Amino acid sequence: MVSKSITNLLNKYGSVTVVVYIWCIGIVIAMVVFNIQPLLEIMPWFKFTIGCNMFIFFLELYLDIRQSFTIRAFNYPNSNYHEIKYHIQNILGLINFSRTESTIGFIIECLVLYFGVLVGIYNINDYVWFYFGFNRSYEITRGMAYLLEISLISSLVRLPFEMYRIYIDQPSNEDNSNNNNNSCETTTTNNNNNNNNNNNNINNNINNNKTPAGETNKTYDKFNKDWIKQIIWDQIKMFLISLFVGLPLLTITLSMFYWQYPYQWFTIVIFVSIVALFFSDLYPSIAYLFNNFSVLEDCELRNEISELSRKLNFPLHEIYTMDGSKRVSHSNAFLMGFWTSSFVLYDNLIKQLTTQEILAIIGHEIGHHKFMHNMKHLLIQLVFVGNFIYLFSSVVNLQVFYVGFGFDRVDVSVGLVLFSYLYSTFANLLRFVTNLIRREFEYAADAYAIENGLEMKKALVAMHGKGVYIKPDRFFSLYYYSHPTLMERLESIDLIKKSLSTNNNNNNNNNNNTATTTTDNIKINNKKLD
């Protein structure tokens, strides 16, 4: 009976999801039942933190090496050699960029911790506040200032890498000039759309040989005033959002850690959960600051999406378009809203895909809604956040934790910074677990769309556009990618179709056998009547 129940759970929710749910329940029970304080008091915190970060660094280095060998070994005889060679070099270049960023970040972290840079910043912050008459009774104010200083310095260190990452993902002229395959035109207005047409993707420039040797004009166009203005304006908006929304929430959370009371961590987890639920539906208001949204006008596409939603009993609230091509070259569609569900379509998705292909993408998103994937993902994230809060509340008042890093007193703001360095290791491993779940969600949503007669394969190929696609190393993909790659999804779709075909054949055979048996019974009864 028990084994049958377990089998039913695995078939309904997926093996990975069930295992993670059981693990999450175990974490919650462990946090309530077990006392880990004696273990924390004898922990060599500095060596443990460096060791954990070193483990993640070399793990990711190993995965990058595996990916490099997989890419170099790729050989597809039906493809153009020069196109394959360029594509491989492009992927290897991105891996090298990521590895360079990780290496520099790891070295900086080790140097910052070893030479007591955090201690120096804390002492300077302490001196400045004392100079202006704010003594240690203003610990929350002083702590918030320290966190802002660390955050600002960290952001400045990462800024060059973020700028380059945004730079290589800029949309190209070819992306923005695709013909619209639908009988729909959106009413989205954007003052910068024409300006963005001048921002050619560096990859396309190299691929099409538009930049002769010795010339840098085409590449330099990427750094035109409009692009730089957009990036700076986005950073200002993000800073203001952090200042007016994130800062008050962080202040409240920090204050709750300063106050001492029983089951402190549990209260903070409840507060964070309420905030997460609130902001999950506030996303559209924030997204409006960065992109232009408009309601999809009445047209064939809107009518088909509405009809599909009615057919699949999906509570559709509205259909929006978003000027996603303003910032990125890839197309996308997603569900927006937690309590009410609306579809958001990138403008380049409407340009690149036919109506039937977009309907397949919409069916995939409806599958996420039917299986409550967003709710499940949120609950798992809250368990992970609760785990962080529980562990942090266990070490935040330990003198030995601070002494190991060169601090001579307990301070919650300092503890939060130090614990973030340590917990980043576990966050990467938890990200791997989350990726497993989200990938399973994607496969389930693909299966839902296929079961309802939608052609996911054509939609995915059209969505990714023309090009050469190389299946990545399995472990590299599992660790880094929250979604399966195109090749992985296409293979999965083939298996799903094969499984559905087998099931249909079995059902037809069963129906034929039933019909034959019924006919034989009728003949026997007729003979008896005779």
Side-chain angles (χ1 to χ4, degrees):
M1 185 68 180
V2 175
S3 60
K4 186 177 180 181
S5 300
I6 294 175
T7 303
N8 291 336
L9 283 173
L10 293 175
N11 291 334
K12 184 176 181 180
Y13 297 106
S15 57
V16 175
T17 307
V18 172
V19 170
V20 172
Y21 286 160
I22 295 173
W23 181 44
C24 290
I25 293 172
I27 290 176
V28 173
I29 294 173
M31 289 191 298
V32 175
V33 175
F34 296 106
N35 179 22
I36 62 173
Q37 203 69 22
L39 176 64
L40 299 177
E41 291 176 353
I42 61 173
M43 185 80 72
W45 288 105
F46 179 80
K47 294 180 180 179
F48 184 63
T49 302
I50 295 294
C52 287
N53 282 277
M54 189 176 295
F55 168 75
I56 288 296
F57 174 78
F58 284 105
L59 172 64
E60 293 180 349
L61 176 62
Y62 167 72
L63 293 174
D64 288 347
I65 293 173
R66 285 183 61 99
Q67 175 72 345
S68 298
F69 278 110
T70 301
I71 298 301
R72 287 190 174 95
F74 177 78
N75 183 22
Y76 191 68
N78 295 330
S79 296
N80 182 278
Y81 170 77
H82 295 288
E83 183 180 4
I84 291 288
K85 184 178 180 181
Y86 161 74
H87 196 64
I88 289 176
Q89 290 175 345
N90 186 38
I91 295 175
L92 293 176
L94 293 175
I95 294 175
N96 292 334
F97 165 71
S98 177
R99 179 49 35 203
T100 301
E101 180 183 13
S102 299
T103 302
I104 293 174
F106 174 70
I107 293 174
I108 291 176
E109 283 185 5
C110 292
L111 293 177
V112 164
L113 294 176
Y114 183 80
F115 289 103
V117 175
L118 297 177
V119 179
I121 296 174
Y122 180 78
N123 290 334
I124 293 173
N125 179 73
D126 216 31
Y127 174 80
V128 171
W129 284 104
F130 266 122
Y131 180 81
F132 288 102
F134 292 88
N135 55 33
R136 296 197 188 277
S137 62
Y138 295 90
E139 55 185 359
I140 295 177
T141 304
R142 294 153 60 98
M144 289 301 302
Y146 180 69
L147 290 176
L148 288 175
E149 291 162 8
I150 297 297
S151 177
L152 179 61
I153 294 172
S154 178
S155 298
L156 291 175
V157 172
R158 292 196 303 267
L159 183 61
F161 298 101
E162 293 298 328
M163 292 284 287
Y164 183 74
R165 187 175 287 107
I166 296 172
Y167 163 71
I168 62 177
D169 198 31
Q170 286 293 298
S172 64
N173 284 334
E174 186 177 348
D175 294 329
N176 291 330
S177 61
N178 289 335
N179 293 328
N180 194 332
N181 294 319
N182 301 287
S183 58
C184 266
E185 292 185 359
T186 60
T187 56
T188 303
T189 58
N190 178 20
N191 295 330
N192 294 327
N193 277 346
N194 293 329
N195 295 329
N196 279 308
N197 289 333
N198 296 323
N199 297 336
N200 297 328
N201 190 296
I202 185 172
N203 298 330
N204 291 329
N205 286 342
I206 298 174
N207 192 28
N208 297 324
N209 296 320
K210 293 180 180 178
T211 307
E215 290 188 17
T216 58
N217 293 334
K218 295 288 186 180
T219 305
Y220 182 77
D221 286 341
K222 292 289 291 184
F223 294 99
N224 59 57
K225 295 179 180 179
D226 295 317
W227 179 77
I228 296 176
K229 179 181 177 181
Q230 177 179 298
I231 297 302
I232 294 175
W233 185 230
D234 284 349
Q235 294 300 317
I236 292 173
K237 290 177 183 177
M238 292 175 65
F239 173 76
L240 292 176
I241 291 173
S242 301
L243 189 64
F244 292 106
V245 179
L247 193 61
L249 293 176
L250 182 60
T251 303
I252 295 172
T253 305
L254 201 65
S255 302
M256 296 175 75
F257 277 113
Y258 275 112
W259 303 328
Q260 299 296 318
Y261 51 88
Y263 290 99
Q264 177 190 50
W265 65 271
F266 188 68
T267 308
I268 299 174
V269 168
I270 292 176
F271 169 73
V272 171
S273 301
I274 294 173
V275 171
L277 289 172
F278 174 75
F279 276 96
S280 64
D281 225 39
L282 194 65
Y283 168 77
S285 301
I286 299 175
Y288 283 128
L289 298 175
F290 297 92
N291 291 92
N292 294 321
F293 289 77
S294 65
V295 176
L296 183 66
E297 65 178 19
D298 288 332
C299 59
E300 178 192 357
L301 178 60
R302 183 181 180 88
N303 295 334
E304 291 288 345
I305 293 175
S306 300
E307 180 61 30
L308 180 64
S309 300
R310 284 192 293 269
K311 176 184 174 182
L312 300 180
N313 296 318
F314 175 75
L316 178 62
H317 177 67
E318 191 51 84
I319 307 171
Y320 297 98
T321 61
M322 187 184 84
D323 57 342
S325 61
K326 183 171 71 174
R327 287 180 174 79
V328 295
S329 57
H330 66 269
S331 57
N332 196 14
F334 59 91
L335 275 173
M336 182 172 66
F338 194 79
W339 310 110
T340 59
S341 299
S342 300
F343 292 122
V344 178
L345 311 177
Y346 278 31
D347 55 349
N348 42 5
L349 182 81
I350 299 175
K351 295 175 183 177
Q352 295 171 6
L353 275 65
T354 64
T355 299
Q356 292 303 314
E357 290 167 347
I358 293 176
L359 289 179
I361 302 298
I362 294 298
H364 172 93
E365 296 301 324
I366 293 177
H368 283 308
H369 175 82
K370 291 289 185 179
F371 298 132
M372 297 188 294
H373 288 162
N374 290 338
M375 173 67 77
K376 293 174 183 177
H377 182 253
L378 178 61
L379 290 176
I380 292 171
Q381 290 296 317
L382 289 177
V383 171
F384 291 162
V385 171
N387 182 49
F388 172 87
I389 293 172
Y390 169 74
L391 293 175
F392 177 61
S393 65
S394 300
V395 303
V396 69
N397 293 310
L398 284 179
Q399 182 71 30
V400 66
F401 176 65
Y402 297 87
V403 171
F405 294 94
F407 291 88
D408 57 1
R409 62 186 296 269
V410 173
D411 191 301
V412 174
S413 60
V414 174
L416 185 59
V417 173
L418 296 177
F419 193 74
S420 297
Y421 276 101
L422 171 61
Y423 197 79
S424 61
T425 301
F426 300 98
N428 286 340
L429 297 178
L430 292 177
R431 181 190 64 185
F432 166 71
V433 175
T434 305
N435 287 349
L436 289 177
I437 300 170
R438 295 186 66 179
R439 291 164 71 92
E440 194 166 89
F441 288 170
E442 293 301 314
Y443 290 134
D446 284 346
Y448 178 84
I450 294 168
E451 289 169 358
N452 285 278
L454 300 170
E455 190 53 63
M456 276 301 301
K457 196 168 187 177
K458 290 182 180 178
L460 288 174
V461 172
M463 193 173 178
H464 285 76
K466 297 180 180 179
V468 179
Y469 295 100
I470 304 174
K471 186 177 179 180
D473 176 73
R474 179 188 176 190
F475 297 105
F476 181 92
S477 178
L478 288 174
Y479 182 82
Y480 283 106
Y481 300 153
S482 62
H483 285 50
T485 61
L486 175 63
M487 301 302 294
E488 291 172 319
R489 291 179 74 174
L490 294 181
E491 289 180 358
S492 172
I493 288 172
D494 289 337
L495 292 175
I496 292 169
K497 287 184 175 181
K498 184 177 180 180
S499 176
L500 289 175
S501 177
T502 302
N503 291 336
N504 290 334
N505 291 334
N506 291 336
N507 291 333
N508 291 334
N509 291 334
N510 291 334
N511 292 334
N512 292 334
N513 292 334
T514 302
T516 302
T517 303
T518 304
T519 303
D520 292 342
N521 290 335
I522 292 172
K523 290 180 179 180
I524 293 171
N525 291 332
N526 289 337
K527 288 181 178 180
K528 288 181 179 180
L529 289 173
D530 292 339

